[in-house]
Amino acid sequence: MPVAFCALTLAGCGGSEKQETNIDYTVDRFADIEVLRYTVPGFENLTLDQKRLVYYLTEAAITGRDIIWDQNCVYNLPIRDMLEAVYANYQGDTEAEDYVNFLTYLKQVEFANGIHHHYSMDKFTPKFTAEWLENQVNALPDELKPADYATLAEVIFNPEVMPKRVTQADGVDVIQASACNLYGGGITQQEVEDYYAKLKNPNDSTPISYGLNSRLVKNADGTISPEVYKVGGVYGAQIARIVELLKKASQYAETPGQLDYMNKLISFYETGCLKTFDDYSVAWVKELDAKVDFINGFIESYGDPLGMIGQFESIVNFKDEAASERTEKISANAQWFEDHSPVDARFRKPEVKGVSAKVITAAILAGDAYPATPIGINLPNANWIRAEHGSKSVTIENITMAYDQAAKGNGFAEEFVIDEPTRQLMETYGFVTDNLHTDLHECLGHGSGQLLPGVDPDALKVHGSTLEEARADLFALYYLADPKIVELGLLDNPEAYKASYYEYMMNGLMTQLVRIEPGKDVEEAHMRNRQLIAKWALKHGEADKIVEMVKQDGKTYVKINDYEALRNLFGQLLAEVQRIKSEGDYEAGRELVEQYAVAVDPDLHNEVLERYAKLNLAPYKGFVNPVYTPEFDANGEIIDVKVTYTEDYLPQVIRYSKEYSIK
């Protein structure tokens, strides 16, 4: 299926054209996580009505927080309530080992929106004892004690209970093997696939995204039925509050088109009708004049092992007018890029419709986009809408800026980049080429190509997300090196693309391995995508030594000997991945993923981990949100909204639990 949110790089090196001063970007550090701060430049220049609009949309975004927690695992919310109660009522020694370990565990759970790691999907292993936690729970006031502590303790401490939130391995029932709370108990993968196969009409030119806003359950008589996310349905209380806030926000809609799509989104939430969601998506794509924009809903399906059910997420943003000049050049030339793609003409779009792209400033991150967030968005996901009406693509530049600023001087490039000339190239062009890669990936990559008539958009099943990300990445990599990019003024040096090529190959072959535990395979879709591309290029360029893994002073490095030939390899792989997508060739897709995307070289893995550990860096990063404070007049009307950047990580997430939980 098309996917939209893409963590494209492992922040570690790269130069920057923009500079922000007097901001302490690092907020907290624990386990394998670093929490950063982002700013919202330009907010103060918005009109009063735009500020009001942003404020109510941010409130609607955060209000859905408990939904993603519950979707991730049925025990997440009661465990969070228990952990936060222990934290708030603890009276012991804050230097004691068990408490220090408890604090780390609490921060991990808050960051992941649950008890499973946000990226690896593995359940966290607490380093405090079960006895210590039980003593703390027993000391709580009766009204704060969990109703079934024994069950919660078993889930937390038993490694065999719900060990993985999402499993996408072949040869197992991925529904049964996944701890996510998107399917009812006892339901099997085959039953899910059969259920949706009966609903789908292969000849429907406007197919419904079945399953996007519902969980399937097995009834007492063995039949399967959906439980819909809507007002009066599953998550009804939270969605009703979101609707209330969206109605307040709609009073300040900037354009008739924006008001139209907001009303359609409200109607979707009230009815749960997926046809209405498609109507909303079409209206949202067509509205291009408003400065403020947002997503709010059940959108991305990475949390579902079958890629069907959307998880709640929201990002509120406004357009960065100056930076959007580059994305507008890209979208204006979308047909040229499609026509010159190295894929078979049968799989290209004869007419690219409605491709819009802009650079945005994120005002709030929420749901599955918080604290860890994407750096680019391309929506909607429905293939038929993209083909008939186009898509919106954005790069979130205040987030990429925060990553870049926080990474300066951390020693990553000196440790892993092969030589000083390459480091200088990446320092000079890394930031601009990373953002351009995101622009191309989101705006053109996901929006490129077409399915052949009758091909099921879900034909690639568990490998669909990996292959879709590979398709978009390859499109971006191929065109980064095209003379057209310099001709359009997007890069001022025809050699600049090499910075992105080196970083991509280094990341895919080596440095992203810092996110994998020893002895484990690559499982997350974006990581599989990057390894697939890098390993395929390494293998297919082996005879001509286009790319090599070399040893220098006992350390392994990536060495690129022929950048132009590497670009040709990216083009060849793009052609094959697009064929697989267009024809729905599951077996060829499975073979690509299994051969290149999954396995890890244990010796190289250990070396990378040892070298990375010496740098004392966190492989994962996320963010605290700014705080928006409205000022009211005597009539209760908002007369201004102030934004501040002083709230710390743990105080913020615990405040969210108190202020936005709806029981």
Side-chain angles (χ1 to χ4, degrees), residues 325-595:
E325 290 182 7
R326 72 169 191 268
T327 53
E328 288 165 358
K329 288 180 181 178
I330 291 171
S331 59
N333 287 274
Q335 190 67 58
W336 185 93
F337 286 103
E338 184 76 1
D339 292 344
H340 291 81
S341 171
V343 308
D344 190 299
R346 294 177 301 146
F347 310 139
R348 297 186 212 139
K349 287 181 177 175
E351 182 182 0
V352 178
K353 298 179 181 179
V355 173
S356 67
K358 60 184 176 180
V359 177
I360 63 169
T361 297
I364 209 75
L365 310 169
D368 202 30
Y370 170 87
T373 185
I375 59 176
I377 304 169
N378 182 274
L379 289 172
N381 281 331
N383 273 295
W384 75 268
I385 296 178
R386 299 161 77 89
E388 293 298 318
H389 303 283
S391 62
K392 280 185 182 178
S393 171
V394 301
T395 300
I396 314 176
E397 195 149 311
N398 61 327
I399 296 298
T400 62
M401 173 58 65
Y403 277 131
D404 185 75
Q405 293 294 313
K408 287 187 176 299
N410 63 12
F412 180 90
E414 288 75 12
E415 179 60 42
F416 288 105
V417 179
I418 190 167
D419 54 35
E420 183 60 24
T422 307
R423 286 192 289 271
Q424 285 298 320
L425 185 71
M426 296 171 74
E427 175 64 24
T428 303
Y429 291 106
F431 182 74
V432 65
T433 55
D434 277 354
N435 281 333
L436 186 54
H437 184 284
T438 304
D439 298 338
L440 292 165
H441 174 112
E442 300 294 354
C443 176
L444 302 183
H446 282 308
S448 66
Q450 64 178 354
L451 301 182
L452 295 184
V455 172
D456 185 348
D458 300 314
L460 302 182
K461 301 180 182 179
V462 296
H463 301 306
S465 294
T466 295
L467 292 167
E468 174 60 21
E469 290 306 316
R471 192 176 71 92
D473 259 1
L474 286 162
F475 196 99
L477 289 165
Y478 181 78
Y479 277 116
L480 265 176
D482 198 285
K484 186 73 170 180
I485 297 297
V486 177
E487 177 189 323
L488 292 173
L490 300 172
L491 291 175
D492 61 8
N493 183 344
E495 304 292 306
Y497 77 92
K498 295 179 179 179
S500 188
Y501 273 31
Y502 191 88
E503 181 177 356
Y504 197 94
M505 294 298 294
M506 176 183 67
N507 193 12
L509 291 171
M510 289 182 59
T511 54
Q512 73 169 4
L513 295 178
V514 301
R515 295 179 166 186
I516 306 290
E517 293 183 16
K520 293 193 174 182
D521 291 332
V522 181
E523 296 194 42
E524 198 277 334
H526 295 90
M527 294 180 68
R528 281 189 169 188
N529 144 52
R530 291 189 288 265
Q531 179 168 291
L532 187 161
I533 292 171
K535 281 197 168 183
W536 188 96
L538 180 69
K539 175 68 174 177
H540 287 75
E542 189 174 34
D544 297 322
K545 294 188 176 181
I546 295 171
V547 183
E548 297 179 274
M549 303 289 283
V550 300
K551 287 281 189 179
Q552 289 184 183
D553 300 323
K555 296 180 179 180
T556 304
Y557 294 91
V558 173
K559 184 181 181 184
I560 301 177
N561 297 309
D562 190 334
Y563 281 89
E564 186 175 344
L566 179 58
R567 186 203 181 203
N568 290 334
L569 289 177
F570 290 150
Q572 292 171 33
L573 183 55
L574 172 59
E576 173 60 6
V577 173
Q578 181 63 64
R579 183 199 66 78
I580 289 170
K581 173 88 173 181
S582 296
E583 295 182 346
D585 189 344
Y586 173 79
E587 284 303 318
R590 179 189 60 77
E591 184 177 345
L592 258 186
V593 172
E594 290 187 353
Q595 184 172 355

Side-chain angles (χ1 to χ4, degrees), residues 267-287:
S267 178
F268 164 67
Y269 272 143
E270 291 176 334
T271 65
C273 175
L274 284 169
K275 175 63 171 63
T276 302
F277 182 75
D278 284 345
D279 293 340
Y280 149 74
S281 297
V282 171
W284 178 77
V285 164
K286 289 183 175 180
E287 204 299 304

Side-chain angles (χ1 to χ4, degrees), residues 1 175 182-184 187-204 207-218 223-229 272 274 301 304-310 456-459 461:
M1 63 175 287
I175 301 297
L182 302 179
Y183 298 93
I187 199 166
T188 67
Q189 177 179 346
Q190 191 62 54
E191 287 173 323
V192 172
E193 291 177 351
D194 290 345
Y195 175 84
Y196 286 118
K198 291 179 182 178
L199 292 179
K200 292 179 179 179
N201 177 1
N203 298 316
D204 190 351
I208 297 294
S209 299
Y210 289 114
L212 190 67
N213 67 330
S214 60
R215 66 193 301 268
L216 290 186
V217 296
K218 180 180 287 189
T223 58
I224 306 297
S225 61
E227 294 181 337
V228 181
Y229 307 154
L274 284 169
S301 57
D304 177 0
L306 290 181
M308 301 286 294
I309 301 174
D456 185 348
D458 300 314
K461 301 180 182 179

